[in-house]
Amino acid sequence: MSHQLSKLTLKTVVSAITIFYGLVPAIADLNETHLFNPLWSAHARLHGAWFLAFAAGIALVALFLVWVRDEVFLPITFGVMFVSGFWVATVFGPAYGGALVDENGYVQTVFGIESNMFLFSVVGVLLLLTLFFAKRIYRTDK
């Protein structure tokens, strides 16, 4: 694969991951089970909206960096931070009463694994792979 094609492939994968964390949470959470859940307090809804706006904003900045500035390392870092935040919240959920699934919702699974855990695992592995390939591809630019 040519160097330019490798770079284009890497940028496309980084962009797909970025769109995942910038758009998918909004699609998943802008409904009655999350942001519009009448059982959530107004303050909890504010935090939910804040999170969605922040994720979308960071994703837009990351896409700008990838396609306009030809920068992939910072967008990969944003993705790692996003995925890490999910895992920190998941691991420490019992300490603050958090849960992967709302008691008023339903459990979605992929291959028998809770869907968030599955998706964030896949994205985490993809981020590690993109970092590995970014180091190889961008090192040859010097």
Side-chain angles (χ1 to χ4, degrees):
M1 186 181 298
S2 76
H3 179 71
Q4 285 302 100
L5 186 56
S6 297
K7 212 174 195 183
L8 179 62
T9 302
L10 175 68
K11 290 168 73 169
T12 301
V13 172
V14 171
S15 296
I17 292 168
T18 301
I19 291 167
F20 168 80
Y21 73 73
L23 185 62
V24 170
I27 292 169
D29 293 355
L30 285 173
N31 59 50
E32 301 78 30
T33 66
H34 284 74
L35 202 58
F36 300 114
N37 188 334
L39 300 176
W40 282 21
S41 71
H43 188 69
R45 282 190 235 141
L46 177 114
H47 278 275
W50 175 14
F51 165 75
L52 295 175
F54 181 76
I58 288 294
L60 288 174
V61 170
L63 291 171
F64 171 83
L65 290 170
V66 168
W67 295 105
V68 176
R69 298 286 173 94
D70 194 32
E71 163 63 43
V72 295
F73 292 100
L74 190 53
I76 291 170
T77 302
F78 291 164
V80 168
M81 292 169 60
F82 190 88
V83 170
S84 298
F86 167 80
W87 287 110
V88 167
T90 299
V91 167
F92 290 102
Y96 64 87
L100 280 171
V101 179
D102 188 77
E103 61 190 30
N104 301 306
Y106 59 96
V107 179
Q108 292 180 327
T109 62
V110 179
F111 302 118
I113 302 168
E114 194 278 331
S115 59
N116 285 307
M117 292 183 80
F118 177 83
L119 291 171
F120 280 98
S121 296
V122 169
V123 170
V125 169
L126 285 174
L127 284 164
L128 293 175
L129 289 171
T130 58
L131 183 59
F132 171 78
F133 286 111
K135 287 183 176 185
R136 293 185 64 172
I137 293 167
Y138 279 80
R139 180 176 47 200
T140 61
D141 277 355
K142 295 180 181 177

